[in-house]
Amino acid sequence: MRNEFTAIVERDGDWFVSYCPEIPGANGQGRSKEESLESLTQAIELVLEDRREDALRGVPAGALRETVTVG
């Protein structure tokens, strides 16, 4: 389950809208399901990048920083 997220896609008239329940605030839209999913993918990337940057602002200067991989 590495870098996999749930995408919920709904049709709204001529548009497809999508969201990711695991990443609040990540939403996508498009004229096709594929466009909506691509838009959602970009939104997930932006949200995670922003949250990472925000979280790292508060890390003390002397703290060790390591990378872990899940999945």
Side-chain angles (χ1 to χ4, degrees), residues 3-64:
N3 295 320
E4 293 180 354
F5 300 96
T6 305
I8 306 299
V9 182
E10 299 177 17
R11 188 152 192 165
D12 185 10
D14 292 336
W15 290 87
F16 289 83
V17 294
S18 56
Y19 64 93
C20 176
E22 295 99 333
I23 312 291
N27 304 291
Q29 67 180 16
R31 292 284 187 179
S32 68
K33 182 180 84 169
E34 292 75 20
E35 285 181 7
S36 179
L37 291 174
E38 178 61 31
S39 175
L40 177 61
T41 299
Q42 293 171 0
I44 291 170
E45 290 172 348
L46 289 172
V47 168
L48 291 178
E49 180 181 322
D50 181 65
R51 288 184 185 166
R52 175 176 285 148
E53 289 173 4
D54 190 47
L56 292 176
R57 284 188 196 103
V59 174
L64 297 175

